[in-house]
């Protein structure tokens, strides 16, 4: 029998549908972790698998969505036991139907936790949590790993890294996007493509959350950017409650009709919540004769952060801010040695405001623990900016540590033609992904001719491609040498750029070294920069705070037609009031408002203390600076100009400030009984959404009682009665646990409590909220805050 990756090159394969909703229909007890039925009721699980096989599905997912150590711990079973039973159930169903061309997809779902710094789960702990079920799947004889329903690219990265390190099975991966086309943590489709292709996932796509029509724009965006086969698993529309069950309104015929236009882009198709064997049979009948997609290799290098991607497409050059590099910068050197993160964050933010697309991060100083400092600095920068980063180090240990924990797909600076460099850096890029700057030097030094530098570039390209790193990911750096040391130095560098472009690679260059040792350096830098752009420079490593350099960049884009109707040029230079100065976290120059907006926790606490010590009224500080800053960030989130991590970091900064200010408030003003209960409903241990809501509510000074996850309706009702709670917030992620939300509301009403109930979660919609009697539906965390503000006097 062919491997699964061989099979998908010959025919479209179909995943099964909504396993959880099918098990519910088969009698799965409410609140029971569905995975346990693989052991407790294998006949029922096999029957569901058998129905999908009979419908024509050949990729059958194991009943292991919640199989990880944390979720199984309360039940006294191991990942190995559950996974072995689940794989055996799929094999048994195949034998019962006589299917010999089917494949077992070991299903890996999310942990239910948000990773640090936005949550409390460390990246390495997440990797460990995923590694255990992956190892169990390989041992049980699964054919592939399916990582599904991920709402955070960082958690997805942890799962993929765990899979790559724990087995050699093919990896399929899918993400859950909302109706705005974003992940929970703000990730865009392009950022997702960058990360997943960088990590070398074999097939990836989208599942859950939306129906086919609603999912189409995101899937089309994947198709536009991807060089990898795609999978598609929508829900059967959006859910509503009927008789205590989640019901989906898109019938099999309509599901097939809505999926048909997307089939030419999908190598693997299937269904998610609410899709039955009838849905899959209709889908297969409608699309079986649609030709397989012709997956093309896109000639674009995508560099991404947790939420956005920058495209090095060989056309529009990008600016890489060079200021976070201690070479020749005494203040930065001192800040790095003293652990002054605020100074570094200020450099990051000012470069972002000046127009950088990517930020270079270099912390190489004698005497520093570079692996530790680079990783810590990188993570701190990612807390306050959504810009992608270029990791700049000659220390392989530092590079691996930073690449592993980087939230996105980084630009790697750099590899060169030396054997030591090739043997250490190329494998890291292959494992973790990344665009790669290729320096044209080797053991013999820097060649003085174009031909010599091109020969080194060709060597690096051959070695990279032999390891499976596509040519599109490579940026040849022609190396800028001072013209003061040789009259032909600039010409050789420019000639190398031109030659590299004919080799089908991108280019990068640190520009300012050309003027070293000469007066009026910016004149030379600006002229050389323009010449380099004309010679094909893609990634310009420059000082974005230099007006002449950014002026040259913007003028070049306008003059070459890369700036549509010169809009960017006009925005940069139109007569207008100057922008507010960037926050300066070092030296106390930042305002409290700015610190909160930028998520600078240390600066927010320091400013709050300074204002309080000066005698300013504490309530004036809270109402005049803290709350308006949070409102500003919240409005940016609602408009889609800011994303969840930025919202959370601003909330944390506000909390840090408020913690300081509480010491200056009378006890009656700084404490009180809880006003809001938050809980994830019975049977559901996914508390990401609830925890996000808690952080935001507390940052707005609401008093929150968090009952945690898997909370019984009786506990919520009794606590609300005892504490006289005016507002209850309920969260659910899974279709199988959403009915407990309805039961909780029913018991609240039956108890005669006057409290209001707000609901939210991935499977919850306005219609569903209305049908279960909720008072309010919150599609995101900020909406819960707004609703609380209308009810409570805070």
């Amino acid at each position: 029998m062919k491997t699964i990756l061989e099979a998908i090159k010959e025919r479209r394969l179909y995943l099964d549908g909504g396993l959880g909703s099918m098990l519910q229909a088969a009698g799965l007890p409410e609140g029971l972790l569905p995975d346990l039925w693989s052991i407790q009721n294998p006949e029922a699980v096999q029957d569901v698998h058998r129905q999908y096989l009979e419908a024509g599905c050949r990729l059958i997912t194991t009943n292991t969505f919640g199989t990880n150590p944390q979720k199984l711990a309360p039940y006294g079973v191991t990942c190995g036991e559950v996974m072995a039973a689940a794989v055996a159930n799929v094999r048994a169903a195949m034998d019962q139907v006589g299917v010999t061309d089917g494949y077992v997809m070991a299903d890996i779902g999310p942990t239910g936790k948000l990773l640090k710094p936005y949550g409390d789960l460390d990246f390495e702990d997440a990797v460990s949590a995923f590694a255990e079920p992956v190892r169990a799947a390989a041992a049980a004889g699964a054919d592939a790993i399916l990582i599904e329903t991920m709402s955070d690219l960082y958690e997805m990265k942890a799962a993929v890294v765990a899979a790559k390190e724990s087995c050699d099975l093919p990896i399929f991966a899918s993400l859950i996007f909302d109706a705005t086309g974003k992940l929970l943590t703000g990730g865009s489709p392009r950022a997702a493509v960058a990360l997943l292709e960088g990590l070398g996932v074999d097939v990836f796509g989208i599942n859950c959350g939306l129906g086919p029509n609603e999912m189409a724009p995101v899937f089309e965006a994947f198709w536009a950017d991807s060089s990898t086969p795609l999978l598609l698993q929508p829900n059967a529309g959006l859910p509503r409650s009927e008789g205590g069950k989640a019901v989906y309104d898109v019938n099999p015929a309509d599901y097939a009709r809505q999926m048909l236009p997307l089939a030419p882009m999908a190598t693997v198709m299937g269904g998610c919540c609410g899709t039955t064997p009838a849905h899959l049979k209709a889908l297969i009948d409608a699309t079986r004769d649609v030709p397989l997609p012709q997956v093309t290799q896109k000639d674009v290098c995508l560099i991404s952060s947790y939420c956005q991607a920058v495209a090095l497409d060989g056309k529009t050059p990008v600016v890489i801010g060079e200021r976070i590099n201690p070479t020749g910068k005494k203040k930065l050197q001192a800040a790095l040695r003293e652990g002054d993160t605020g100074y570094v964050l200020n450099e990051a933010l000012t470069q972002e405001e000046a127009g950088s697309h990517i930020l270079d991060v270099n912390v190489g100083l004698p005497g520093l623990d570079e692996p530790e400092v680079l990783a810590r600095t990188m993570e701190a920068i990612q807390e306050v900016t959504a810009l992608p980063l270029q990791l700049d180090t000659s220390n392989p240990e530092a590079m691996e540590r930073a690449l592993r924990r980087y939230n996105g797909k980084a630009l790697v600076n750099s590899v060169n033609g030396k054997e030591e460099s090739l043997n250490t850096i190329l494998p890291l890029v292959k494992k973790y992904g990344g665009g790669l700057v290729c320096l044209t030097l080797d053991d013999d030094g820097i060649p003085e001719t174009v031909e010599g530098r091109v020969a080194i570039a060709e060597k690096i390209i051959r070695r990279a491609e032999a390891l499976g790193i596509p040519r599109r990911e490579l940026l040849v750096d022609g190396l800028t040498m001072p013209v003061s040391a040789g009259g032909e130095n600039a010409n050789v560098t420019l000639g190398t750029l031109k030659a590299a472009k004919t080799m089908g690679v991108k280019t990068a260059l640190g520009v300012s070294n050309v003027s070293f040792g000469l007066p009026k350096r910016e004149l030379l830098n600006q002229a050389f920069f323009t010449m380099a752009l004309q010679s094909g420079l893609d990634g310009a490593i420059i000082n974005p705070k230099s007006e002449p350099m950014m002026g040259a960049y913007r003028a070049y884009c306008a003059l070459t037609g890369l700036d549509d109707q010169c809009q960017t040029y006009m925005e940069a230079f139109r007569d207008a009031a100057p922008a507010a100065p960037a926050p300066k976290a070092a030296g106390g120059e930042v305002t409290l408002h700015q610190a909160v907006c930028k998520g600078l926790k240390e600066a927010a606490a320091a400013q709050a203390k300074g204002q309080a010590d000066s005698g300013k009224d504490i309530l004036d500080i809270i109402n005049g600076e803290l709350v308006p800053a949070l409102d500003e960030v919240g409005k940016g989130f609602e408009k889609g100009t800011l994303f969840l991590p930025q919202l959370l970091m601003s909330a944390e900064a506000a909390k840090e400030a408020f913690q300081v200010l509480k010491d200056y408030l009378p006890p009656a003003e700084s404490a009180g009984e809880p006003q809001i209960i938050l809980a994830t409903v019975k049977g559901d241990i996914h508390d990401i959404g609830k925890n996000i809501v808690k952080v935001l509510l507390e940052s707005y000074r609401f008093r929150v009682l968090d009952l945690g996850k898997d909370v019984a309706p009786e506990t919520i009702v009794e606590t609300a009665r005892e504490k006289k709670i005016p507002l209850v917030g309920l969260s659910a992620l899974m279709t199988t646990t959403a009915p407990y939300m309805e039961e909780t509301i029913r018991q609240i009403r039956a108890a005669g409590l006057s409290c209001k109930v707000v609901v939210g979660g991935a499977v919850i919609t306005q219609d569903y909220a209305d049908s279960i009697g909720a008072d309010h539906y919150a599609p995101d965390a900020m909406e819960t805050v707004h609703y609380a503000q209308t009810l409570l006097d805070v």
Side-chain angles (χ1 to χ4, degrees):
M1 180 171 148
K2 291 181 172 64
T3 68
I4 189 171
L5 296 183
E6 291 171 339
I8 63 171
K9 293 178 181 178
E10 297 180 358
R11 70 187 195 277
R12 180 175 285 103
L13 293 180
Y14 295 88
L15 280 156
D16 48 12
L19 181 59
S21 48
M22 286 290 289
L23 291 176
Q24 253 185 334
L28 177 73
E30 289 184 351
L32 179 69
L33 184 69
D35 309 48
L36 299 180
W37 248 26
S38 294
I39 296 174
Q40 297 176 2
N41 194 348
E43 295 82 7
V45 177
Q46 290 171 23
D47 180 61
V48 174
H49 293 328
R50 190 165 55 246
Q51 291 181 56
Y52 282 117
L53 287 163
E54 290 171 343
C57 299
R58 291 298 178 262
L59 303 181
I60 305 299
T61 54
T62 56
N63 180 31
T64 54
F65 181 80
T67 299
N68 67 49
Q70 179 195 23
K71 294 179 183 179
L72 294 181
Y75 302 101
V77 294
T78 67
C79 291
E81 291 168 334
V82 174
M83 187 65 75
V87 171
N89 286 333
V90 177
R91 296 288 186 205
M94 289 179 179
D95 290 342
Q96 293 161 16
V97 179
V99 167
T100 59
D101 61 346
Y103 300 90
V104 180
M105 311 293 289
D107 193 56
I108 307 291
T111 62
K113 292 285 187 181
L114 202 59
L115 272 65
K116 293 179 179 178
Y118 317 116
D120 57 7
L121 181 62
D122 184 75
F123 179 82
E124 291 300 341
D125 291 336
V127 172
S128 297
F130 288 119
E132 191 169 332
V134 168
R135 286 192 295 267
D143 296 303
I145 302 296
L146 173 62
I147 303 166
E148 62 146 309
T149 320
M150 290 288 178
S151 58
D152 173 24
L153 289 177
Y154 205 28
E155 185 176 24
M156 174 63 87
K157 179 174 180 175
V160 174
V161 168
K164 293 178 72 172
E165 292 180 343
S166 303
C167 73
D168 58 2
L169 296 175
I171 301 172
F172 289 52
S174 64
L175 294 150
I176 175 172
F177 286 81
D178 63 22
T180 69
K182 300 290 185 183
L183 297 172
L184 174 68
T185 47
S188 67
R190 175 166 274 190
V193 171
L195 177 76
L196 294 170
E197 288 197 334
L199 289 171
V201 171
D202 296 290
V203 180
F204 59 78
I206 318 168
N207 78 296
C208 202
L210 302 170
N213 284 343
E214 296 83 9
M215 198 174 276
V218 174
F219 193 66
E220 289 164 354
F222 266 55
W223 174 252
D225 284 326
S226 175
S227 303
T228 302
L230 298 179
L231 70 84
L232 180 64
Q233 282 186 287
N235 289 350
L238 302 175
R240 58 181 173 80
S241 179
E242 188 175 288
K245 302 289 185 181
V247 177
Y248 292 81
D249 285 334
V250 176
N251 63 39
D254 286 341
Y255 187 78
R257 178 180 55 78
Q258 292 178 24
M259 290 284 276
L260 185 58
L262 303 174
M265 297 176 277
T267 298
V268 174
M269 303 182 81
C272 203
C273 299
T275 55
T276 66
H279 286 83
L280 272 297
K281 185 178 187 309
L283 171 66
I284 294 168
D285 289 344
T287 60
R288 69 169 76 249
D289 295 328
V290 176
L292 273 177
Q294 296 299 310
V295 180
T296 59
Q297 296 300 303
K298 310 299 190 298
D299 186 23
V300 176
C301 174
L302 295 176
I303 306 301
S304 66
S305 66
Y306 67 87
C307 69
Q308 68 183 40
V310 170
L312 290 151
D313 58 7
K315 299 174 184 175
T316 304
V318 303
V319 173
I320 303 170
E322 68 179 7
R323 297 296 299 170
I324 305 175
N325 185 322
T327 303
K329 302 180 183 71
K330 292 183 179 180
K331 290 184 178 180
L332 180 56
Q333 291 174 11
L336 291 172
R337 293 192 188 281
E338 296 165 8
D340 181 4
T341 304
Y343 185 90
V344 177
L345 297 185
N346 179 64
E347 281 291 351
L349 294 170
T350 55
Q351 287 186 96
E352 178 179 20
E353 291 171 359
S356 289
H357 305 109
I358 298 171
L359 298 178
D360 182 79
V361 182
N362 183 315
V363 298
L365 274 178
L368 282 187
D369 181 351
E370 191 172 356
E372 168 64 24
V373 175
L374 179 60
R376 185 176 67 242
T377 302
M378 172 200 76
E379 290 173 339
I381 292 170
Q382 288 207 292
E383 289 182 20
V384 301
T385 177
L387 291 186
L389 304 182
Q390 174 173 269
L391 303 177
D392 185 357
T393 178
S394 58
N395 183 321
E397 182 186 353
M399 183 63 78
E400 176 160 25
R401 185 164 177 179
L403 270 178
R404 184 177 180 86
R405 297 185 69 92
Y406 179 74
N407 192 351
K409 178 189 169 196
L411 186 55
V412 175
N413 191 8
S414 56
V415 72
N416 59 57
K418 298 178 181 180
E419 285 300 314
E420 181 183 7
S421 179
L422 293 168
N423 291 333
T424 55
I425 300 302
L426 292 182
L428 293 180
V429 174
K430 173 61 177 175
K431 179 176 181 178
Y432 298 111
L436 180 58
V437 177
C438 307
L439 304 183
T440 51
L441 62 87
D442 59 14
D443 291 301
D444 295 324
I446 302 173
E448 295 182 357
T449 65
V450 172
E451 292 75 17
R453 296 184 194 183
V454 167
I456 295 173
E458 290 173 337
K459 174 185 176 181
I460 297 172
I461 293 168
R462 286 195 304 270
R463 295 286 288 274
E465 290 185 322
L467 203 59
I469 301 171
R471 187 173 292 230
R472 67 171 178 268
E473 305 287 5
L474 307 179
L475 290 77
V476 168
D477 188 330
L479 296 175
T480 304
M481 304 299 290
V483 291
S484 59
E488 286 299 307
N489 281 346
N491 289 330
V492 172
T493 300
L494 298 174
T496 305
L497 290 182
K498 294 174 184 176
K501 297 299 288 186
T502 67
M503 297 156 62
V505 294
K506 313 300 183 297
T507 59
L509 204 62
V511 174
S512 60
N513 200 41
V514 73
S515 63
F516 183 77
L518 295 172
K520 297 285 188 180
R521 293 188 64 184
E522 280 200 331
L523 293 177
L524 288 168
N525 291 346
Q526 185 182 36
F528 179 65
F529 182 29
T530 302
M531 296 168 72
L533 291 169
Q534 291 175 317
S535 299
L537 178 58
D538 296 300
I541 306 172
I542 64 171
N543 175 9
K545 296 191 288 185
S546 165
E547 187 174 335
M549 297 299 279
M550 290 304 293
Y553 171 77
R554 291 173 175 129
Y556 172 82
C557 291
L559 293 169
T560 54
L562 298 173
D563 180 2
D564 186 35
Q565 296 184 327
C566 302
Q567 288 299 310
T568 302
Y569 184 88
M570 288 190 293
E571 288 173 9
F573 297 113
R574 68 160 50 105
D575 291 330
K584 296 182 178 180
E589 297 178 25
V590 63
T591 68
L592 179 56
H593 183 100
Q594 289 172 323
V596 171
C597 286
K598 293 296 184 180
L600 301 172
K601 292 180 284 188
E602 294 178 5
Q607 275 296 305
K609 187 176 189 308
Q611 291 193 33
D613 287 342
S614 72
K616 187 172 181 179
D617 183 81
I618 304 303
L619 292 180
D620 285 347
I621 299 172
I622 293 170
N623 296 322
E625 289 204 59
L626 281 181
V627 173
L630 283 170
D631 287 341
E632 181 179 322
V633 174
K635 289 175 182 176
F637 174 73
E638 291 168 339
K639 292 177 181 177
T641 57
L642 296 176
F643 304 109
L644 180 63
Q646 294 158 298
L647 182 66
L648 289 178
M649 296 313 299
S650 291
E652 290 291 350
K655 284 177 65 178
E656 290 284 335
F658 185 67
Q659 285 299 115
V660 170
L661 296 176
K662 280 206 304 186
D663 294 338
Y664 296 82
L665 286 170
E669 295 185 61
S670 60
E673 289 297 313
Q675 303 163 294
I676 303 170
I677 282 177
L678 294 180
T680 302
V681 298
K682 184 176 179 180
D684 203 322
I685 65 169
H686 300 85
D687 57 359
I688 290 177
K690 171 184 65 63
N691 291 344
I692 292 168
V693 171
K694 179 185 177 184
V695 169
L696 292 180
L697 285 170
E698 289 181 340
S699 71
Y700 275 86
R701 301 180 62 220
F702 289 104
R703 299 186 297 277
V704 178
L705 176 58
D706 183 359
L707 297 182
K709 58 199 175 189
D710 189 18
V711 184
E714 295 79 8
T715 301
I716 297 170
V717 171
E718 183 56 33
T719 306
R721 177 191 290 114
E722 178 188 343
K723 300 289 186 182
K724 297 181 174 59
I725 298 292
L727 178 60
V728 173
L730 302 177
S731 174
L733 174 75
M734 301 188 297
T735 303
T736 53
T737 60
Y740 272 103
M741 187 176 280
E742 181 175 10
E743 174 61 16
T744 301
I745 294 173
R746 188 194 68 77
Q747 290 194 27
I748 287 173
R749 306 302 186 223
L753 302 181
S754 61
C755 58
K756 301 293 185 181
V757 180
V758 57
V759 299
V763 298
I764 309 303
T765 64
Q766 181 69 64
D767 289 343
Y768 189 85
D770 292 342
S771 69
I772 64 175
D775 295 291
H776 196 75
Y777 164 61
D780 57 54
M782 278 305 301
E783 181 56 33
T784 304
V785 173
H786 294 328
Y787 184 58
Q789 288 173 323
T790 66
L791 293 176
L792 307 173
D793 185 22
V794 171

